[in-house]
Structure formats: C-alpha cells, structure tokens
Amino acid sequence: MATTAAAAPTPFAREVRRRRALRRMSQLELATLAGTTQRHLSFIESGRSAPGRAMVIRLSESLGLTLRERNSMLLSAGYAAAYAESPAGSAAVGPAMEALRSILTGHLPYPAVVAGPRGELVLANAAFGVLTEGAAARLLAPPVNVLRLALHPEGMAPRVVNLAAWGRHITESLRARATAHPDPELDELIAELTGYLPAAPPPGPDHLGFAVPLRLRTDGGELRLLTTLTSFATAVDVTLAELHLEAFLPADPATADLLHHRTGTTPARPRSGDG
C-alpha cells in the first residue's frame, strides 16, 4: 500500500511557528488576526500549504513584526522584499529627515536626538551638548552610540545621580524589545551595557517600574529630565521605521530654568488665572 510522506516544514513555516510561540499566540488567535482559518494556518506551519504573498504579509503584520522582519519573512517564503531600505541621506527619505530636523530645532532648549534601533546616533539638536559634557572623545567620535554614551563610565555615567535605576530602565526596555524581536547584535549590546551598571538589589514587591527621571549633574545644578519616544508608525521604508526620536523634557521648573539659561531664553510660565 502506497503512503504519502508528510511535507517538511519550509523556512517560512518554521519562522511563523517560532515567532507565534515567542508571542504566546495560539494558531486560532493568529489566524483570526490574519483573516484566515486555523486549519489553513496549521497547513502553512506544517509545510502542507504554501502561502501567497498577501498571506505572508498579513501574517507578518499580525505578528507585529518590524518592516525588516517582514522583508525577511517574504524572502523565506520565496518572495521579493516589499519594503525599501533607503540610505539616511537619500532623496527617498529626505522630506522625513528634514521634518525630524525641524522637530529637533523646535524642541530647543531641551535636548533631543534621533537614533537607530541599537542606539546609533543619526541626528541631534544643539542642546545635546548638555548630555555629553565631560564624555571621552572616543565615545563622541562617529559612529556615536547614544545608549553606550549614556551608561559608559567614560560617558554620562559619572554624572548620573540615579545610575542604577536609570540604567535598569534602559536595559529592561532593550530586553523587552529583544524578546519580541530577537537580534544577536542587540543581545550583545545589552550584555555590554549591563556590565557598566552598579550592582543593585532586585525590585521589591512595591516596585512600580523603571520609568524614572534622569537625574544629571551639571555645572549649573542637577537636571531632572523625563523622556518621550516617537517613531514613524506608518513608515513603509525600513530606514525610517527603525528610527526613533527621543526628546528630553524638564521634570521640574528648576530644570527648565537651567536649560533656558544656557541659551539665554525665558521659559514660558502659566499666566495668572490660567487652567
């Protein structure tokens, strides 16, 4: 009696199953999000069914993959990449880069930077200097890595009052990203940055997270800075999608005054009776 050998899982099939497991999603959950059936997804993951290009893209989107990862999934399924990866200085991303420069300038006198996925510095405004004061020249030589600069003992670290908490905030954020989007280079960077941090006791039962202000010593006094992250949520270019803008904001009036004093400007104050 003739038998039919089971199809071997394809590279794409193995990647779908691996990434679904990373996100702790069931086949039914992923199939529902991607607009297909659990049976069809089961056939894809076992190699019994070859997905069309549109299905590969829908599954990648439903898994929350980055544009770079989506391209990789398409290639593993035998299709061409769908998303361009333009050099930062190319005409294709020129308008977006110009918009970022305008935002950086408009954020003055507060520091702001645009960085790549592993902390590669792309753009910075004039107030970035308040963060880099006293840092070793080798850490400021291109290519600058703002994450390394933040925690390196020859970078900002000697001036960070709350280095253990601030450093944990950075490394835990990176670990969360590495869990969702595995990246050996990011793992290496996390290990390096963790090695720069002082030993700290594990978080207690009342721990509320590491979203703490950066407390930074300067010649004019201590700065207390909050940070916000902005990215291109609708980008269709890998380069733009991987950039994020980190803007530092004063956490108290004294910090605002100090940063304005550095540039000879006056901070806006609520008028009497406002709000």
Side-chain angles (χ1 to χ4, degrees):
M1 180 176 177
T3 59
T4 302
T10 64
F12 175 77
R14 291 193 294 269
E15 275 300 290
V16 171
R17 189 164 58 248
R18 182 178 74 87
R19 292 180 182 277
R20 179 173 62 79
L22 279 174
R23 286 153 179 77
R24 298 182 179 180
M25 296 174 69
S26 68
Q27 282 187 338
L28 179 58
E29 288 172 324
L30 179 55
T32 301
L33 288 172
T36 188
T37 65
Q38 182 178 0
R39 178 182 174 84
H40 187 202
L41 178 57
S42 176
F43 277 27
I44 289 173
E45 288 193 355
S46 66
R48 295 173 64 186
S49 178
R53 186 172 185 272
M55 177 55 67
V56 173
I57 292 175
R58 292 211 306 271
L59 287 170
S60 298
E61 290 176 341
S62 300
L63 285 165
L65 303 186
T66 66
L67 297 192
R68 184 179 298 280
E69 290 170 330
R70 295 180 198 182
N71 276 345
S72 177
M73 294 291 273
L74 283 163
L75 292 171
S76 72
Y79 298 105
Y83 306 97
E85 183 175 358
S86 307
S90 69
V93 297
M97 299 302 289
E98 190 57 38
L100 287 172
R101 291 187 183 91
S102 296
I103 295 172
L104 293 179
T105 300
H107 193 66
L108 290 170
Y110 309 135
V113 301
V114 175
R118 303 182 195 93
E120 311 91 332
L121 180 64
V122 177
L123 298 170
N125 67 7
F128 182 56
V130 75
L131 304 179
T132 64
E133 289 175 353
R138 66 187 183 88
L139 295 177
L140 300 176
V144 176
N145 186 294
V146 294
L147 297 173
R148 182 175 293 113
L149 178 66
L151 301 184
H152 197 285
E154 296 180 17
M156 291 170 54
R159 296 193 296 131
V160 178
V161 177
N162 56 336
L163 181 60
W166 175 251
R168 185 79 69 88
H169 160 69
I170 292 176
T171 55
E172 289 301 311
S173 296
L174 292 176
R175 284 193 180 95
R177 189 197 311 167
T179 298
H181 307 284
D183 177 355
E185 291 185 38
L186 185 57
D187 291 338
E188 291 179 8
L189 179 62
I190 293 170
E192 176 191 342
L193 298 180
T194 301
Y196 298 144
L197 299 179
D206 298 326
H207 176 65
L208 298 178
F210 292 99
V212 295
L214 166 63
R215 298 176 56 193
L216 187 68
R217 300 183 187 91
T218 72
D219 290 340
E222 181 182 308
L223 299 177
R224 295 175 62 89
L225 297 163
L226 301 173
T227 61
T228 63
L229 291 176
T230 305
S231 61
F232 287 95
T234 57
V236 292
D237 188 286
V238 174
T239 299
L240 291 181
E242 290 185 338
L243 296 181
H244 67 268
L245 186 153
E246 183 165 11
F248 293 79
L249 295 165
D252 55 36
T255 296
D257 288 340
L258 196 158
L259 290 172
H260 276 275
H261 178 72
R262 289 172 61 93
T263 56
T265 58
T266 304
R269 299 291 191 209
R271 292 175 298 178
S272 178
D274 284 356

